[in-house]
mmCIF file of all heavy atoms in Angstrom:
data_model
loop_
_atom_site.group_PDB
_atom_site.id
_atom_site.type_symbol
_atom_site.label_atom_id
_atom_site.label_comp_id
_atom_site.label_asym_id
_atom_site.label_seq_id
_atom_site.Cartn_x
_atom_site.Cartn_y
_atom_site.Cartn_z
ATOM 1 N N PRO A 1 -16.429 -25.955 -9.393
ATOM 2 C CA PRO A 1 -17.319 -25.917 -10.569
ATOM 3 C C PRO A 1 -17.550 -24.483 -11.029
ATOM 4 O O PRO A 1 -17.760 -23.574 -10.230
ATOM 5 C CB PRO A 1 -18.618 -26.541 -10.042
ATOM 6 C CG PRO A 1 -18.203 -27.366 -8.874
ATOM 7 C CD PRO A 1 -17.032 -26.647 -8.255
ATOM 8 N N SER A 2 -17.482 -24.261 -12.295
ATOM 9 C CA SER A 2 -17.620 -22.918 -12.846
ATOM 10 C C SER A 2 -19.059 -22.446 -12.787
ATOM 11 O O SER A 2 -19.982 -23.153 -13.175
ATOM 12 C CB SER A 2 -17.132 -22.892 -14.289
ATOM 13 O OG SER A 2 -17.332 -21.625 -14.839
ATOM 14 N N ILE A 3 -19.246 -21.243 -12.264
ATOM 15 C CA ILE A 3 -20.586 -20.636 -12.216
ATOM 16 C C ILE A 3 -20.565 -19.277 -12.900
ATOM 17 O O ILE A 3 -21.488 -18.488 -12.758
ATOM 18 C CB ILE A 3 -21.078 -20.487 -10.769
ATOM 19 C CG1 ILE A 3 -20.094 -19.630 -9.958
ATOM 20 C CG2 ILE A 3 -21.280 -21.833 -10.115
ATOM 21 C CD1 ILE A 3 -20.581 -19.301 -8.556
ATOM 22 N N PHE A 4 -19.509 -19.003 -13.634
ATOM 23 C CA PHE A 4 -19.359 -17.712 -14.276
ATOM 24 C C PHE A 4 -19.423 -17.869 -15.793
ATOM 25 O O PHE A 4 -18.448 -17.675 -16.501
ATOM 26 C CB PHE A 4 -18.041 -17.064 -13.857
ATOM 27 C CG PHE A 4 -17.978 -16.784 -12.383
ATOM 28 C CD1 PHE A 4 -17.405 -17.702 -11.529
ATOM 29 C CD2 PHE A 4 -18.515 -15.621 -11.871
ATOM 30 C CE1 PHE A 4 -17.350 -17.444 -10.169
ATOM 31 C CE2 PHE A 4 -18.467 -15.367 -10.515
ATOM 32 C CZ PHE A 4 -17.886 -16.275 -9.654
ATOM 33 N N GLY A 5 -20.599 -18.259 -16.274
ATOM 34 C CA GLY A 5 -20.791 -18.367 -17.716
ATOM 35 C C GLY A 5 -19.950 -19.442 -18.369
ATOM 36 O O GLY A 5 -19.496 -19.272 -19.496
ATOM 37 N N GLY A 6 -19.736 -20.543 -17.671
ATOM 38 C CA GLY A 6 -18.983 -21.642 -18.243
ATOM 39 C C GLY A 6 -17.485 -21.449 -18.259
ATOM 40 O O GLY A 6 -16.769 -22.172 -18.948
ATOM 41 N N GLN A 7 -16.965 -20.500 -17.489
ATOM 42 C CA GLN A 7 -15.527 -20.277 -17.443
ATOM 43 C C GLN A 7 -15.078 -20.045 -16.008
ATOM 44 O O GLN A 7 -15.884 -19.804 -15.120
ATOM 45 C CB GLN A 7 -15.142 -19.070 -18.294
ATOM 46 C CG GLN A 7 -15.762 -17.758 -17.839
ATOM 47 C CD GLN A 7 -15.374 -16.584 -18.719
ATOM 48 O OE1 GLN A 7 -14.565 -16.726 -19.617
ATOM 49 N NE2 GLN A 7 -15.966 -15.431 -18.464
ATOM 50 N N SER A 8 -13.785 -20.151 -15.791
ATOM 51 C CA SER A 8 -13.220 -19.930 -14.471
ATOM 52 C C SER A 8 -13.428 -18.485 -14.041
ATOM 53 O O SER A 8 -13.473 -17.573 -14.868
ATOM 54 C CB SER A 8 -11.726 -20.258 -14.486
ATOM 55 O OG SER A 8 -11.097 -19.794 -13.303
ATOM 56 N N MET A 9 -13.545 -18.285 -12.727
ATOM 57 C CA MET A 9 -13.663 -16.928 -12.197
ATOM 58 C C MET A 9 -12.496 -16.059 -12.649
ATOM 59 O O MET A 9 -12.669 -14.878 -12.984
ATOM 60 C CB MET A 9 -13.697 -16.961 -10.663
ATOM 61 C CG MET A 9 -13.727 -15.597 -10.005
ATOM 62 S SD MET A 9 -13.387 -15.658 -8.223
ATOM 63 C CE MET A 9 -14.730 -16.678 -7.656
ATOM 64 N N LEU A 10 -11.306 -16.642 -12.700
ATOM 65 C CA LEU A 10 -10.113 -15.894 -13.054
ATOM 66 C C LEU A 10 -10.064 -15.530 -14.527
ATOM 67 O O LEU A 10 -9.262 -14.686 -14.940
ATOM 68 C CB LEU A 10 -8.852 -16.683 -12.684
ATOM 69 C CG LEU A 10 -8.732 -17.088 -11.210
ATOM 70 C CD1 LEU A 10 -7.446 -17.855 -10.979
ATOM 71 C CD2 LEU A 10 -8.793 -15.861 -10.304
ATOM 72 N N ALA A 11 -10.905 -16.161 -15.336
ATOM 73 C CA ALA A 11 -10.940 -15.862 -16.768
ATOM 74 C C ALA A 11 -11.956 -14.788 -17.103
ATOM 75 O O ALA A 11 -12.076 -14.377 -18.259
ATOM 76 C CB ALA A 11 -11.254 -17.127 -17.563
ATOM 77 N N SER A 12 -12.678 -14.314 -16.082
ATOM 78 C CA SER A 12 -13.691 -13.284 -16.294
ATOM 79 C C SER A 12 -13.126 -11.923 -15.910
ATOM 80 O O SER A 12 -12.652 -11.728 -14.786
ATOM 81 C CB SER A 12 -14.935 -13.586 -15.450
ATOM 82 O OG SER A 12 -15.832 -12.500 -15.454
ATOM 83 N N SER A 13 -13.187 -10.981 -16.815
ATOM 84 C CA SER A 13 -12.675 -9.634 -16.525
ATOM 85 C C SER A 13 -13.519 -8.926 -15.470
ATOM 86 O O SER A 13 -13.065 -7.950 -14.864
ATOM 87 C CB SER A 13 -12.651 -8.799 -17.810
ATOM 88 O OG SER A 13 -13.957 -8.700 -18.375
ATOM 89 N N HIS A 14 -14.742 -9.409 -15.246
ATOM 90 C CA HIS A 14 -15.626 -8.792 -14.257
ATOM 91 C C HIS A 14 -15.452 -9.390 -12.861
ATOM 92 O O HIS A 14 -15.776 -8.741 -11.867
ATOM 93 C CB HIS A 14 -17.087 -8.936 -14.683
ATOM 94 C CG HIS A 14 -17.417 -8.243 -15.973
ATOM 95 N ND1 HIS A 14 -17.418 -6.884 -16.101
ATOM 96 C CD2 HIS A 14 -17.717 -8.749 -17.200
ATOM 97 C CE1 HIS A 14 -17.735 -6.550 -17.347
ATOM 98 N NE2 HIS A 14 -17.913 -7.671 -18.034
ATOM 99 N N TRP A 15 -14.966 -10.637 -12.772
ATOM 100 C CA TRP A 15 -14.921 -11.329 -11.493
ATOM 101 C C TRP A 15 -13.524 -11.747 -11.048
ATOM 102 O O TRP A 15 -13.358 -12.227 -9.928
ATOM 103 C CB TRP A 15 -15.813 -12.575 -11.542
ATOM 104 C CG TRP A 15 -17.249 -12.262 -11.730
ATOM 105 C CD1 TRP A 15 -17.993 -12.397 -12.869
ATOM 106 C CD2 TRP A 15 -18.144 -11.728 -10.748
ATOM 107 N NE1 TRP A 15 -19.285 -11.992 -12.671
ATOM 108 C CE2 TRP A 15 -19.406 -11.573 -11.372
ATOM 109 C CE3 TRP A 15 -17.996 -11.366 -9.408
ATOM 110 C CZ2 TRP A 15 -20.509 -11.078 -10.688
ATOM 111 C CZ3 TRP A 15 -19.094 -10.873 -8.731
ATOM 112 C CH2 TRP A 15 -20.335 -10.728 -9.374
ATOM 113 N N ALA A 16 -12.527 -11.577 -11.895
ATOM 114 C CA ALA A 16 -11.173 -12.015 -11.529
ATOM 115 C C ALA A 16 -10.673 -11.283 -10.276
ATOM 116 O O ALA A 16 -9.955 -11.861 -9.453
ATOM 117 C CB ALA A 16 -10.220 -11.782 -12.697
ATOM 118 N N TRP A 17 -11.055 -10.003 -10.122
ATOM 119 C CA TRP A 17 -10.617 -9.238 -8.950
ATOM 120 C C TRP A 17 -11.110 -9.871 -7.657
ATOM 121 O O TRP A 17 -10.439 -9.811 -6.619
ATOM 122 C CB TRP A 17 -11.112 -7.794 -9.040
ATOM 123 C CG TRP A 17 -12.592 -7.648 -8.880
ATOM 124 C CD1 TRP A 17 -13.535 -7.739 -9.855
ATOM 125 C CD2 TRP A 17 -13.306 -7.419 -7.659
ATOM 126 N NE1 TRP A 17 -14.798 -7.573 -9.331
ATOM 127 C CE2 TRP A 17 -14.677 -7.373 -7.989
ATOM 128 C CE3 TRP A 17 -12.916 -7.240 -6.329
ATOM 129 C CZ2 TRP A 17 -15.660 -7.169 -7.021
ATOM 130 C CZ3 TRP A 17 -13.899 -7.030 -5.369
ATOM 131 C CH2 TRP A 17 -15.255 -6.990 -5.722
ATOM 132 N N LEU A 18 -12.295 -10.520 -7.731
ATOM 133 C CA LEU A 18 -12.845 -11.163 -6.543
ATOM 134 C C LEU A 18 -11.977 -12.343 -6.116
ATOM 135 O O LEU A 18 -11.801 -12.598 -4.916
ATOM 136 C CB LEU A 18 -14.276 -11.625 -6.819
ATOM 137 C CG LEU A 18 -15.051 -12.239 -5.645
ATOM 138 C CD1 LEU A 18 -15.136 -11.243 -4.496
ATOM 139 C CD2 LEU A 18 -16.442 -12.674 -6.087
ATOM 140 N N GLY A 19 -11.415 -13.057 -7.097
ATOM 141 C CA GLY A 19 -10.504 -14.153 -6.775
ATOM 142 C C GLY A 19 -9.269 -13.652 -6.048
ATOM 143 O O GLY A 19 -8.777 -14.287 -5.109
ATOM 144 N N VAL A 20 -8.755 -12.502 -6.471
ATOM 145 C CA VAL A 20 -7.590 -11.911 -5.804
ATOM 146 C C VAL A 20 -7.933 -11.530 -4.369
ATOM 147 O O VAL A 20 -7.134 -11.729 -3.439
ATOM 148 C CB VAL A 20 -7.089 -10.675 -6.582
ATOM 149 C CG1 VAL A 20 -5.854 -10.091 -5.908
ATOM 150 C CG2 VAL A 20 -6.770 -11.037 -8.026
ATOM 151 N N VAL A 21 -9.142 -11.008 -4.165
ATOM 152 C CA VAL A 21 -9.593 -10.653 -2.814
ATOM 153 C C VAL A 21 -9.671 -11.895 -1.931
ATOM 154 O O VAL A 21 -9.200 -11.896 -0.781
ATOM 155 C CB VAL A 21 -10.964 -9.949 -2.866
ATOM 156 C CG1 VAL A 21 -11.537 -9.789 -1.454
ATOM 157 C CG2 VAL A 21 -10.848 -8.595 -3.532
ATOM 158 N N ILE A 22 -10.239 -12.975 -2.456
ATOM 159 C CA ILE A 22 -10.413 -14.206 -1.681
ATOM 160 C C ILE A 22 -9.062 -14.773 -1.251
ATOM 161 O O ILE A 22 -8.854 -15.130 -0.084
ATOM 162 C CB ILE A 22 -11.197 -15.248 -2.496
ATOM 163 C CG1 ILE A 22 -12.641 -14.779 -2.706
ATOM 164 C CG2 ILE A 22 -11.185 -16.611 -1.798
ATOM 165 C CD1 ILE A 22 -13.438 -15.645 -3.657
ATOM 166 N N VAL A 23 -8.135 -14.862 -2.180
ATOM 167 C CA VAL A 23 -6.823 -15.436 -1.875
ATOM 168 C C VAL A 23 -6.066 -14.563 -0.876
ATOM 169 O O VAL A 23 -5.470 -15.069 0.083
ATOM 170 C CB VAL A 23 -5.996 -15.610 -3.163
ATOM 171 C CG1 VAL A 23 -4.589 -16.101 -2.840
ATOM 172 C CG2 VAL A 23 -6.681 -16.592 -4.099
ATOM 173 N N THR A 24 -6.080 -13.253 -1.089
ATOM 174 C CA THR A 24 -5.377 -12.343 -0.183
ATOM 175 C C THR A 24 -5.983 -12.391 1.212
ATOM 176 O O THR A 24 -5.258 -12.404 2.222
ATOM 177 C CB THR A 24 -5.426 -10.904 -0.721
ATOM 178 O OG1 THR A 24 -4.902 -10.874 -2.049
ATOM 179 C CG2 THR A 24 -4.614 -9.971 0.156
ATOM 180 N N ALA A 25 -7.310 -12.421 1.286
ATOM 181 C CA ALA A 25 -7.974 -12.492 2.589
ATOM 182 C C ALA A 25 -7.619 -13.787 3.305
ATOM 183 O O ALA A 25 -7.335 -13.789 4.509
ATOM 184 C CB ALA A 25 -9.488 -12.372 2.400
ATOM 185 N N TRP A 26 -7.630 -14.900 2.571
ATOM 186 C CA TRP A 26 -7.312 -16.195 3.175
ATOM 187 C C TRP A 26 -5.924 -16.182 3.806
ATOM 188 O O TRP A 26 -5.706 -16.753 4.879
ATOM 189 C CB TRP A 26 -7.391 -17.296 2.119
ATOM 190 C CG TRP A 26 -7.140 -18.670 2.648
ATOM 191 C CD1 TRP A 26 -8.034 -19.510 3.247
ATOM 192 C CD2 TRP A 26 -5.890 -19.378 2.633
ATOM 193 N NE1 TRP A 26 -7.429 -20.683 3.607
ATOM 194 C CE2 TRP A 26 -6.113 -20.640 3.240
ATOM 195 C CE3 TRP A 26 -4.612 -19.070 2.164
ATOM 196 C CZ2 TRP A 26 -5.103 -21.585 3.383
ATOM 197 C CZ3 TRP A 26 -3.596 -20.016 2.310
ATOM 198 C CH2 TRP A 26 -3.849 -21.247 2.904
ATOM 199 N N GLN A 27 -4.988 -15.508 3.172
ATOM 200 C CA GLN A 27 -3.620 -15.508 3.675
ATOM 201 C C GLN A 27 -3.379 -14.474 4.762
ATOM 202 O O GLN A 27 -2.535 -14.681 5.645
ATOM 203 C CB GLN A 27 -2.639 -15.257 2.527
ATOM 204 C CG GLN A 27 -1.181 -15.422 2.959
ATOM 205 C CD GLN A 27 -0.214 -15.094 1.858
ATOM 206 O OE1 GLN A 27 -0.522 -14.351 0.934
ATOM 207 N NE2 GLN A 27 0.985 -15.648 1.937
ATOM 208 N N THR A 28 -4.092 -13.359 4.756
ATOM 209 C CA THR A 28 -3.781 -12.268 5.676
ATOM 210 C C THR A 28 -4.732 -12.155 6.871
ATOM 211 O O THR A 28 -4.468 -11.369 7.783
ATOM 212 C CB THR A 28 -3.779 -10.926 4.922
ATOM 213 O OG1 THR A 28 -5.052 -10.741 4.274
ATOM 214 C CG2 THR A 28 -2.669 -10.888 3.881
ATOM 215 N N ILE A 29 -5.813 -12.910 6.881
ATOM 216 C CA ILE A 29 -6.712 -12.895 8.033
ATOM 217 C C ILE A 29 -5.982 -13.273 9.330
ATOM 218 O O ILE A 29 -6.202 -12.640 10.371
ATOM 219 C CB ILE A 29 -7.935 -13.809 7.799
ATOM 220 C CG1 ILE A 29 -8.938 -13.110 6.872
ATOM 221 C CG2 ILE A 29 -8.606 -14.195 9.099
ATOM 222 C CD1 ILE A 29 -10.105 -13.988 6.455
ATOM 223 N N PRO A 30 -5.100 -14.285 9.327
ATOM 224 C CA PRO A 30 -4.419 -14.646 10.584
ATOM 225 C C PRO A 30 -3.637 -13.509 11.219
ATOM 226 O O PRO A 30 -3.638 -13.361 12.452
ATOM 227 C CB PRO A 30 -3.490 -15.789 10.154
ATOM 228 C CG PRO A 30 -4.149 -16.390 8.970
ATOM 229 C CD PRO A 30 -4.783 -15.242 8.254
ATOM 230 N N SER A 31 -2.939 -12.690 10.422
ATOM 231 C CA SER A 31 -2.144 -11.600 11.000
ATOM 232 C C SER A 31 -3.049 -10.579 11.692
ATOM 233 O O SER A 31 -2.700 -10.051 12.758
ATOM 234 C CB SER A 31 -1.306 -10.923 9.917
ATOM 235 O OG SER A 31 -2.131 -10.414 8.882
ATOM 236 N N ALA A 32 -4.206 -10.286 11.104
ATOM 237 C CA ALA A 32 -5.156 -9.377 11.747
ATOM 238 C C ALA A 32 -5.774 -10.031 12.979
ATOM 239 O O ALA A 32 -6.027 -9.363 13.991
ATOM 240 C CB ALA A 32 -6.248 -8.970 10.753
ATOM 241 N N MET A 33 -5.981 -11.343 12.897
ATOM 242 C CA MET A 33 -6.583 -12.067 14.019
ATOM 243 C C MET A 33 -5.674 -12.055 15.243
ATOM 244 O O MET A 33 -6.151 -12.000 16.382
ATOM 245 C CB MET A 33 -6.881 -13.506 13.587
ATOM 246 C CG MET A 33 -7.689 -14.300 14.581
ATOM 247 S SD MET A 33 -8.217 -15.873 13.877
ATOM 248 C CE MET A 33 -6.629 -16.658 13.578
ATOM 249 N N VAL A 34 -4.356 -12.090 15.033
ATOM 250 C CA VAL A 34 -3.411 -12.038 16.143
ATOM 251 C C VAL A 34 -3.584 -10.744 16.935
ATOM 252 O O VAL A 34 -3.600 -10.747 18.170
ATOM 253 C CB VAL A 34 -1.960 -12.158 15.624
ATOM 254 C CG1 VAL A 34 -0.971 -11.865 16.737
ATOM 255 C CG2 VAL A 34 -1.711 -13.544 15.058
ATOM 256 N N ILE A 35 -3.728 -9.625 16.229
ATOM 257 C CA ILE A 35 -3.904 -8.333 16.895
ATOM 258 C C ILE A 35 -5.218 -8.296 17.655
ATOM 259 O O ILE A 35 -5.287 -7.805 18.795
ATOM 260 C CB ILE A 35 -3.840 -7.192 15.868
ATOM 261 C CG1 ILE A 35 -2.442 -7.133 15.231
ATOM 262 C CG2 ILE A 35 -4.180 -5.846 16.511
ATOM 263 C CD1 ILE A 35 -2.297 -6.094 14.138
ATOM 264 N N TYR A 36 -6.277 -8.835 17.058
ATOM 265 C CA TYR A 36 -7.566 -8.853 17.745
ATOM 266 C C TYR A 36 -7.542 -9.762 18.966
ATOM 267 O O TYR A 36 -8.166 -9.456 19.997
ATOM 268 C CB TYR A 36 -8.662 -9.293 16.776
ATOM 269 C CG TYR A 36 -9.028 -8.231 15.766
ATOM 270 C CD1 TYR A 36 -9.230 -8.547 14.430
ATOM 271 C CD2 TYR A 36 -9.182 -6.915 16.150
ATOM 272 C CE1 TYR A 36 -9.572 -7.573 13.495
ATOM 273 C CE2 TYR A 36 -9.523 -5.936 15.233
ATOM 274 C CZ TYR A 36 -9.711 -6.274 13.914
ATOM 275 O OH TYR A 36 -10.038 -5.297 13.010
ATOM 276 N N LEU A 37 -6.854 -10.885 18.879
ATOM 277 C CA LEU A 37 -6.744 -11.778 20.036
ATOM 278 C C LEU A 37 -6.019 -11.084 21.184
ATOM 279 O O LEU A 37 -6.392 -11.240 22.350
ATOM 280 C CB LEU A 37 -6.008 -13.064 19.644
ATOM 281 C CG LEU A 37 -6.828 -14.112 18.893
ATOM 282 C CD1 LEU A 37 -5.934 -15.235 18.388
ATOM 283 C CD2 LEU A 37 -7.933 -14.678 19.780
ATOM 284 N N ALA A 38 -4.982 -10.306 20.848
ATOM 285 C CA ALA A 38 -4.274 -9.558 21.884
ATOM 286 C C ALA A 38 -5.202 -8.554 22.554
ATOM 287 O O ALA A 38 -5.145 -8.347 23.783
ATOM 288 C CB ALA A 38 -3.076 -8.838 21.272
ATOM 289 N N GLY A 39 -6.074 -7.919 21.768
ATOM 290 C CA GLY A 39 -7.026 -6.978 22.338
ATOM 291 C C GLY A 39 -8.069 -7.654 23.203
ATOM 292 O O GLY A 39 -8.444 -7.138 24.270
ATOM 293 N N LEU A 40 -8.536 -8.816 22.785
ATOM 294 C CA LEU A 40 -9.544 -9.538 23.553
ATOM 295 C C LEU A 40 -8.996 -10.030 24.887
ATOM 296 O O LEU A 40 -9.693 -10.003 25.908
ATOM 297 C CB LEU A 40 -10.064 -10.734 22.736
ATOM 298 C CG LEU A 40 -10.928 -10.386 21.525
ATOM 299 C CD1 LEU A 40 -11.191 -11.625 20.674
ATOM 300 C CD2 LEU A 40 -12.249 -9.766 21.958
ATOM 301 N N VAL A 41 -7.739 -10.458 24.893
ATOM 302 C CA VAL A 41 -7.119 -10.924 26.134
ATOM 303 C C VAL A 41 -6.996 -9.782 27.144
ATOM 304 O O VAL A 41 -7.055 -9.999 28.365
ATOM 305 C CB VAL A 41 -5.726 -11.532 25.833
ATOM 306 C CG1 VAL A 41 -4.970 -11.832 27.117
ATOM 307 C CG2 VAL A 41 -5.873 -12.808 25.004
ATOM 308 N N ALA A 42 -6.852 -8.547 26.640
ATOM 309 C CA ALA A 42 -6.673 -7.389 27.523
ATOM 310 C C ALA A 42 -7.978 -6.948 28.189
ATOM 311 O O ALA A 42 -7.956 -6.144 29.126
ATOM 312 C CB ALA A 42 -6.075 -6.226 26.738
ATOM 313 N N ILE A 43 -9.113 -7.441 27.708
ATOM 314 C CA ILE A 43 -10.406 -7.064 28.306
ATOM 315 C C ILE A 43 -10.635 -7.895 29.569
ATOM 316 O O ILE A 43 -10.615 -9.128 29.505
ATOM 317 C CB ILE A 43 -11.556 -7.289 27.306
ATOM 318 C CG1 ILE A 43 -11.344 -6.447 26.044
ATOM 319 C CG2 ILE A 43 -12.894 -6.939 27.951
ATOM 320 C CD1 ILE A 43 -12.401 -6.676 24.980
ATOM 321 N N PRO A 44 -10.866 -7.275 30.728
ATOM 322 C CA PRO A 44 -11.072 -8.032 31.981
ATOM 323 C C PRO A 44 -12.298 -8.938 31.899
ATOM 324 O O PRO A 44 -13.354 -8.534 31.395
ATOM 325 C CB PRO A 44 -11.277 -6.923 33.027
ATOM 326 C CG PRO A 44 -10.690 -5.701 32.418
ATOM 327 C CD PRO A 44 -10.911 -5.827 30.938
ATOM 328 N N GLY A 45 -12.171 -10.152 32.397
ATOM 329 C CA GLY A 45 -13.290 -11.092 32.386
ATOM 330 C C GLY A 45 -14.431 -10.664 33.277
ATOM 331 O O GLY A 45 -15.587 -11.046 33.052
ATOM 332 N N GLU A 46 -14.105 -9.852 34.293
ATOM 333 C CA GLU A 46 -15.153 -9.402 35.218
ATOM 334 C C GLU A 46 -16.221 -8.574 34.508
ATOM 335 O O GLU A 46 -17.387 -8.547 34.911
ATOM 336 C CB GLU A 46 -14.536 -8.570 36.350
ATOM 337 C CG GLU A 46 -13.626 -9.341 37.277
ATOM 338 C CD GLU A 46 -12.225 -9.516 36.708
ATOM 339 O OE1 GLU A 46 -11.974 -8.991 35.597
ATOM 340 O OE2 GLU A 46 -11.407 -10.188 37.354
#
């Protein structure tokens, strides 16, 4: 549902960049998460 003045987020020159951030983050979070998981596994449980 549109909350940006009756138009899509992507049709707003002020908010379209936020849509690009959301989509890019959704796709690239897993690659960063893999590196963090490797770091967490290296921490001793003790």
